[in-house]
Short mmCIF file of all heavy atoms in Angstrom, two decimals:
data_model
loop_
_atom_site.label_atom_id
_atom_site.label_comp_id
_atom_site.label_asym_id
_atom_site.label_seq_id
_atom_site.Cartn_x
_atom_site.Cartn_y
_atom_site.Cartn_z
N GLY A 18 -21.36 -20.36 -10.75
CA GLY A 18 -20.85 -21.19 -11.83
C GLY A 18 -19.39 -20.98 -12.16
O GLY A 18 -18.87 -21.61 -13.07
N LEU A 19 -18.71 -20.12 -11.45
CA LEU A 19 -17.29 -19.86 -11.71
C LEU A 19 -16.47 -20.46 -10.58
O LEU A 19 -16.84 -20.36 -9.42
CB LEU A 19 -17.03 -18.36 -11.80
CG LEU A 19 -15.66 -17.96 -12.33
CD1 LEU A 19 -15.58 -18.24 -13.82
CD2 LEU A 19 -15.40 -16.49 -12.07
N ARG A 20 -15.38 -21.11 -10.91
CA ARG A 20 -14.48 -21.68 -9.91
C ARG A 20 -13.12 -21.00 -10.04
O ARG A 20 -12.60 -20.82 -11.13
CB ARG A 20 -14.30 -23.18 -10.13
CG ARG A 20 -15.55 -23.98 -9.98
CD ARG A 20 -16.03 -23.97 -8.51
NE ARG A 20 -17.23 -24.74 -8.35
CZ ARG A 20 -18.45 -24.25 -8.37
NH1 ARG A 20 -18.65 -22.97 -8.56
NH2 ARG A 20 -19.50 -25.03 -8.21
N ALA A 21 -12.55 -20.65 -8.91
CA ALA A 21 -11.23 -20.04 -8.87
C ALA A 21 -10.23 -21.08 -8.40
O ALA A 21 -10.44 -21.72 -7.37
CB ALA A 21 -11.22 -18.83 -7.94
N LEU A 22 -9.18 -21.26 -9.15
CA LEU A 22 -8.13 -22.22 -8.83
C LEU A 22 -6.82 -21.47 -8.67
O LEU A 22 -6.47 -20.62 -9.50
CB LEU A 22 -8.00 -23.25 -9.96
CG LEU A 22 -9.30 -23.96 -10.37
CD1 LEU A 22 -9.08 -24.73 -11.66
CD2 LEU A 22 -9.75 -24.88 -9.26
N ARG A 23 -6.09 -21.79 -7.60
CA ARG A 23 -4.76 -21.20 -7.42
C ARG A 23 -3.84 -21.70 -8.53
O ARG A 23 -3.89 -22.86 -8.90
CB ARG A 23 -4.17 -21.61 -6.08
CG ARG A 23 -4.65 -20.86 -4.89
CD ARG A 23 -3.91 -21.26 -3.60
NE ARG A 23 -3.20 -22.52 -3.63
CZ ARG A 23 -3.75 -23.72 -3.44
NH1 ARG A 23 -5.03 -23.84 -3.23
NH2 ARG A 23 -3.02 -24.81 -3.47
N ILE A 24 -3.03 -20.81 -9.04
CA ILE A 24 -2.00 -21.22 -10.00
C ILE A 24 -0.76 -21.54 -9.19
O ILE A 24 -0.27 -20.72 -8.42
CB ILE A 24 -1.73 -20.12 -11.04
CG1 ILE A 24 -3.00 -19.83 -11.84
CG2 ILE A 24 -0.59 -20.53 -11.95
CD1 ILE A 24 -2.89 -18.64 -12.77
N THR A 25 -0.28 -22.77 -9.35
CA THR A 25 0.87 -23.24 -8.58
C THR A 25 1.98 -23.68 -9.52
O THR A 25 1.78 -23.80 -10.72
CB THR A 25 0.46 -24.43 -7.68
OG1 THR A 25 0.02 -25.50 -8.51
CG2 THR A 25 -0.65 -24.04 -6.72
N ASP A 26 3.09 -23.93 -8.97
CA ASP A 26 4.22 -24.54 -9.67
C ASP A 26 4.57 -23.82 -10.96
O ASP A 26 4.47 -24.40 -12.02
CB ASP A 26 3.92 -26.02 -9.92
CG ASP A 26 5.18 -26.78 -10.35
OD1 ASP A 26 6.29 -26.33 -10.02
OD2 ASP A 26 5.04 -27.81 -11.01
N PRO A 27 4.97 -22.55 -10.90
CA PRO A 27 5.19 -21.73 -9.72
C PRO A 27 3.93 -20.96 -9.33
O PRO A 27 3.04 -20.75 -10.15
CB PRO A 27 6.27 -20.75 -10.18
CG PRO A 27 5.94 -20.51 -11.61
CD PRO A 27 5.44 -21.86 -12.11
N GLU A 28 3.89 -20.56 -8.06
CA GLU A 28 2.82 -19.68 -7.63
C GLU A 28 3.11 -18.29 -8.13
O GLU A 28 4.24 -17.82 -8.05
CB GLU A 28 2.72 -19.68 -6.10
CG GLU A 28 1.42 -20.28 -5.65
CD GLU A 28 1.24 -20.26 -4.17
OE1 GLU A 28 1.01 -19.17 -3.62
OE2 GLU A 28 1.31 -21.35 -3.59
N LEU A 29 2.10 -17.65 -8.68
CA LEU A 29 2.28 -16.30 -9.21
C LEU A 29 1.93 -15.29 -8.14
O LEU A 29 0.97 -15.47 -7.40
CB LEU A 29 1.39 -16.09 -10.43
CG LEU A 29 1.51 -17.12 -11.56
CD1 LEU A 29 0.61 -16.72 -12.72
CD2 LEU A 29 2.95 -17.25 -12.02
N SER A 30 2.70 -14.24 -8.07
CA SER A 30 2.37 -13.16 -7.14
C SER A 30 2.85 -11.84 -7.72
O SER A 30 3.78 -11.80 -8.53
CB SER A 30 3.00 -13.40 -5.77
OG SER A 30 4.41 -13.32 -5.85
N GLY A 31 2.17 -10.82 -7.34
CA GLY A 31 2.52 -9.48 -7.78
C GLY A 31 2.33 -8.53 -6.63
O GLY A 31 1.85 -8.90 -5.56
N ARG A 32 2.69 -7.30 -6.84
CA ARG A 32 2.58 -6.29 -5.79
C ARG A 32 1.80 -5.11 -6.34
O ARG A 32 2.02 -4.68 -7.47
CB ARG A 32 3.97 -5.83 -5.37
CG ARG A 32 3.96 -4.80 -4.28
CD ARG A 32 5.36 -4.44 -3.91
NE ARG A 32 5.96 -5.59 -3.26
CZ ARG A 32 6.55 -5.54 -2.08
NH1 ARG A 32 6.66 -4.40 -1.46
NH2 ARG A 32 7.06 -6.62 -1.56
N VAL A 33 0.91 -4.60 -5.53
CA VAL A 33 0.18 -3.38 -5.87
C VAL A 33 0.77 -2.27 -5.01
O VAL A 33 0.89 -2.43 -3.79
CB VAL A 33 -1.33 -3.54 -5.57
CG1 VAL A 33 -2.06 -2.22 -5.79
CG2 VAL A 33 -1.92 -4.63 -6.44
N ALA A 34 1.14 -1.20 -5.65
CA ALA A 34 1.71 -0.07 -4.90
C ALA A 34 0.83 1.16 -5.12
O ALA A 34 0.33 1.40 -6.21
CB ALA A 34 3.13 0.21 -5.38
N LEU A 35 0.65 1.90 -4.06
CA LEU A 35 -0.09 3.16 -4.12
C LEU A 35 0.85 4.28 -3.74
O LEU A 35 1.65 4.14 -2.82
CB LEU A 35 -1.27 3.13 -3.14
CG LEU A 35 -2.28 2.01 -3.32
CD1 LEU A 35 -3.30 2.04 -2.19
CD2 LEU A 35 -2.97 2.12 -4.66
N ALA A 36 0.74 5.39 -4.42
CA ALA A 36 1.58 6.55 -4.11
C ALA A 36 0.70 7.79 -4.08
O ALA A 36 -0.25 7.90 -4.87
CB ALA A 36 2.68 6.71 -5.16
N TRP A 37 0.99 8.68 -3.16
CA TRP A 37 0.26 9.93 -3.08
C TRP A 37 1.18 10.98 -2.51
O TRP A 37 2.23 10.68 -1.98
CB TRP A 37 -1.03 9.80 -2.26
CG TRP A 37 -0.83 9.30 -0.87
CD1 TRP A 37 -0.63 10.04 0.25
CD2 TRP A 37 -0.82 7.94 -0.44
NE1 TRP A 37 -0.50 9.23 1.34
CE2 TRP A 37 -0.61 7.93 0.94
CE3 TRP A 37 -0.98 6.71 -1.09
CZ2 TRP A 37 -0.54 6.75 1.68
CZ3 TRP A 37 -0.91 5.55 -0.35
CH2 TRP A 37 -0.70 5.58 1.02
N ARG A 38 0.76 12.23 -2.66
CA ARG A 38 1.57 13.35 -2.18
C ARG A 38 1.71 13.25 -0.67
O ARG A 38 0.86 12.72 0.02
CB ARG A 38 0.92 14.67 -2.55
CG ARG A 38 0.87 14.88 -4.04
CD ARG A 38 0.19 16.15 -4.45
NE ARG A 38 -0.35 16.94 -3.36
CZ ARG A 38 -1.08 18.02 -3.51
NH1 ARG A 38 -1.37 18.43 -4.72
NH2 ARG A 38 -1.52 18.69 -2.48
N THR A 39 2.79 13.81 -0.14
CA THR A 39 3.04 13.73 1.30
C THR A 39 1.95 14.41 2.12
O THR A 39 1.71 14.04 3.26
CB THR A 39 4.40 14.33 1.67
OG1 THR A 39 4.46 15.68 1.21
CG2 THR A 39 5.53 13.51 1.07
N ASP A 40 1.28 15.41 1.54
CA ASP A 40 0.20 16.05 2.29
C ASP A 40 -1.15 15.36 2.06
O ASP A 40 -2.19 15.86 2.46
CB ASP A 40 0.11 17.55 1.96
CG ASP A 40 -0.17 17.82 0.49
OD1 ASP A 40 -0.06 16.90 -0.34
OD2 ASP A 40 -0.51 18.98 0.17
N GLY A 41 -1.12 14.20 1.43
CA GLY A 41 -2.33 13.41 1.22
C GLY A 41 -3.02 13.75 -0.08
O GLY A 41 -2.71 14.75 -0.72
N PRO A 42 -3.97 12.94 -0.49
CA PRO A 42 -4.72 13.23 -1.71
C PRO A 42 -5.48 14.55 -1.56
O PRO A 42 -5.97 14.87 -0.47
CB PRO A 42 -5.71 12.06 -1.82
CG PRO A 42 -5.14 10.99 -0.96
CD PRO A 42 -4.37 11.68 0.12
N SER A 43 -5.58 15.29 -2.65
CA SER A 43 -6.15 16.63 -2.55
C SER A 43 -7.67 16.66 -2.59
O SER A 43 -8.28 17.55 -2.01
CB SER A 43 -5.59 17.52 -3.66
OG SER A 43 -5.88 16.94 -4.92
N GLY A 44 -8.30 15.73 -3.28
CA GLY A 44 -9.75 15.78 -3.41
C GLY A 44 -10.46 14.73 -2.58
O GLY A 44 -9.87 13.71 -2.21
N PRO A 45 -11.73 14.94 -2.30
CA PRO A 45 -12.48 13.97 -1.51
C PRO A 45 -12.61 12.61 -2.18
O PRO A 45 -12.57 11.58 -1.52
CB PRO A 45 -13.84 14.63 -1.29
CG PRO A 45 -13.92 15.76 -2.25
CD PRO A 45 -12.53 16.12 -2.63
N ALA A 46 -12.76 12.59 -3.49
CA ALA A 46 -12.88 11.30 -4.19
C ALA A 46 -11.58 10.51 -4.08
O ALA A 46 -11.59 9.30 -3.84
CB ALA A 46 -13.24 11.52 -5.66
N ALA A 47 -10.45 11.18 -4.24
CA ALA A 47 -9.16 10.50 -4.12
C ALA A 47 -8.93 10.01 -2.70
O ALA A 47 -8.41 8.91 -2.49
CB ALA A 47 -8.03 11.44 -4.55
N ARG A 48 -9.31 10.81 -1.71
CA ARG A 48 -9.18 10.37 -0.32
C ARG A 48 -10.04 9.14 -0.05
O ARG A 48 -9.61 8.19 0.60
CB ARG A 48 -9.53 11.50 0.65
CG ARG A 48 -8.48 12.60 0.71
CD ARG A 48 -8.70 13.54 1.88
NE ARG A 48 -9.99 14.22 1.84
CZ ARG A 48 -10.22 15.38 1.22
NH1 ARG A 48 -9.23 16.00 0.59
NH2 ARG A 48 -11.41 15.94 1.25
N ARG A 49 -11.27 9.15 -0.56
CA ARG A 49 -12.17 8.00 -0.36
C ARG A 49 -11.62 6.77 -1.07
O ARG A 49 -11.64 5.67 -0.51
CB ARG A 49 -13.57 8.35 -0.88
CG ARG A 49 -14.55 7.23 -0.77
CD ARG A 49 -14.93 6.99 0.69
NE ARG A 49 -15.92 5.92 0.73
CZ ARG A 49 -15.98 4.99 1.64
NH1 ARG A 49 -15.12 5.01 2.64
NH2 ARG A 49 -16.88 4.06 1.60
N LEU A 50 -11.13 6.93 -2.30
CA LEU A 50 -10.55 5.80 -3.03
C LEU A 50 -9.38 5.22 -2.25
O LEU A 50 -9.27 4.00 -2.09
CB LEU A 50 -10.09 6.23 -4.42
CG LEU A 50 -9.35 5.17 -5.24
CD1 LEU A 50 -10.27 3.98 -5.52
CD2 LEU A 50 -8.81 5.76 -6.52
N LEU A 51 -8.51 6.06 -1.75
CA LEU A 51 -7.36 5.59 -0.98
C LEU A 51 -7.81 4.84 0.27
O LEU A 51 -7.27 3.78 0.60
CB LEU A 51 -6.44 6.75 -0.62
CG LEU A 51 -5.17 6.39 0.12
CD1 LEU A 51 -4.32 5.41 -0.68
CD2 LEU A 51 -4.37 7.65 0.42
N THR A 52 -8.83 5.34 0.94
CA THR A 52 -9.35 4.66 2.13
C THR A 52 -9.86 3.27 1.76
O THR A 52 -9.56 2.28 2.44
CB THR A 52 -10.49 5.49 2.77
OG1 THR A 52 -9.95 6.74 3.18
CG2 THR A 52 -11.10 4.76 3.95
N LEU A 53 -10.63 3.17 0.69
CA LEU A 53 -11.17 1.88 0.26
C LEU A 53 -10.06 0.91 -0.16
O LEU A 53 -10.09 -0.27 0.19
CB LEU A 53 -12.16 2.07 -0.89
CG LEU A 53 -13.46 2.77 -0.53
CD1 LEU A 53 -14.26 3.09 -1.79
CD2 LEU A 53 -14.27 1.95 0.45
N LEU A 54 -9.09 1.41 -0.91
CA LEU A 54 -7.99 0.55 -1.35
C LEU A 54 -7.16 0.06 -0.18
O LEU A 54 -6.78 -1.11 -0.13
CB LEU A 54 -7.11 1.29 -2.36
CG LEU A 54 -7.72 1.51 -3.73
CD1 LEU A 54 -6.85 2.42 -4.57
CD2 LEU A 54 -7.95 0.19 -4.44
N ARG A 55 -6.88 0.93 0.76
CA ARG A 55 -6.09 0.52 1.91
C ARG A 55 -6.82 -0.51 2.75
O ARG A 55 -6.21 -1.38 3.36
CB ARG A 55 -5.70 1.73 2.76
CG ARG A 55 -4.68 2.62 2.02
CD ARG A 55 -4.35 3.83 2.81
NE ARG A 55 -3.36 3.46 3.83
CZ ARG A 55 -2.96 4.28 4.78
NH1 ARG A 55 -3.47 5.49 4.86
NH2 ARG A 55 -2.07 3.89 5.65
N ALA A 56 -8.15 -0.45 2.78
CA ALA A 56 -8.94 -1.44 3.52
C ALA A 56 -9.01 -2.77 2.78
O ALA A 56 -9.05 -3.83 3.38
CB ALA A 56 -10.34 -0.90 3.77
N ALA A 57 -9.03 -2.72 1.44
CA ALA A 57 -9.24 -3.93 0.64
C ALA A 57 -7.95 -4.69 0.32
O ALA A 57 -7.97 -5.89 0.15
CB ALA A 57 -9.94 -3.57 -0.67
N VAL A 58 -6.84 -3.97 0.22
CA VAL A 58 -5.59 -4.59 -0.20
C VAL A 58 -4.72 -4.84 1.02
O VAL A 58 -4.43 -3.90 1.77
CB VAL A 58 -4.85 -3.68 -1.21
CG1 VAL A 58 -3.51 -4.27 -1.59
CG2 VAL A 58 -5.71 -3.46 -2.44
N PRO A 59 -4.31 -6.09 1.24
CA PRO A 59 -3.43 -6.34 2.39
C PRO A 59 -2.14 -5.55 2.23
O PRO A 59 -1.54 -5.53 1.17
CB PRO A 59 -3.15 -7.84 2.31
CG PRO A 59 -4.10 -8.39 1.31
CD PRO A 59 -4.59 -7.26 0.47
N ALA A 60 -1.74 -4.89 3.28
CA ALA A 60 -0.55 -4.06 3.22
C ALA A 60 0.64 -4.79 3.79
O ALA A 60 0.56 -5.41 4.84
CB ALA A 60 -0.77 -2.77 4.00
N THR A 61 1.75 -4.72 3.08
CA THR A 61 2.99 -5.26 3.61
C THR A 61 3.87 -4.14 4.12
O THR A 61 4.67 -4.33 5.01
CB THR A 61 3.74 -6.06 2.53
OG1 THR A 61 3.95 -5.23 1.40
CG2 THR A 61 2.95 -7.29 2.13
N ASP A 62 3.72 -2.97 3.55
CA ASP A 62 4.50 -1.81 3.95
C ASP A 62 3.56 -0.63 4.18
O ASP A 62 3.61 0.35 3.46
CB ASP A 62 5.54 -1.45 2.88
CG ASP A 62 6.54 -2.57 2.65
OD1 ASP A 62 7.11 -3.05 3.64
OD2 ASP A 62 6.72 -2.94 1.50
N ARG A 63 2.70 -0.74 5.15
CA ARG A 63 1.73 0.32 5.44
C ARG A 63 2.47 1.57 5.87
O ARG A 63 3.31 1.50 6.76
CB ARG A 63 0.78 -0.18 6.51
CG ARG A 63 -0.28 0.78 6.95
CD ARG A 63 -1.53 0.79 6.18
NE ARG A 63 -2.12 -0.52 6.05
CZ ARG A 63 -3.25 -0.68 5.39
NH1 ARG A 63 -3.86 0.34 4.85
NH2 ARG A 63 -3.76 -1.87 5.25
N PRO A 64 2.17 2.73 5.25
CA PRO A 64 2.87 3.95 5.63
C PRO A 64 2.57 4.36 7.06
O PRO A 64 1.47 4.15 7.55
CB PRO A 64 2.36 5.00 4.64
CG PRO A 64 1.18 4.43 3.97
CD PRO A 64 1.21 2.94 4.20
#
């Protein structure tokens, strides 16, 4: 029962950024979250 309509004129866009320590996330939950987010969010600047 829900319809999604693109907003145009102008088209809206935003950027999602993820940041983590250079040695990677420290805990298993954070590592799993990062894995899921990287799979779900299209990357423009994949590290």
Side-chain angles (χ1 to χ4, degrees):
L19 191 72
R20 297 292 181 265
L22 307 169
R23 280 185 342 278
I24 298 173
T25 62
D26 194 24
E28 245 182 72
L29 306 183
S30 67
R32 181 178 292 232
V33 174
L35 303 174
W37 57 91
R38 295 178 358 186
T39 57
D40 60 347
S43 58
R48 287 192 301 271
R49 178 71 178 142
L50 175 63
L51 183 59
T52 298
L53 292 172
L54 288 171
R55 291 177 80 187
V58 176
T61 56
D62 298 309
R63 179 87 53 180

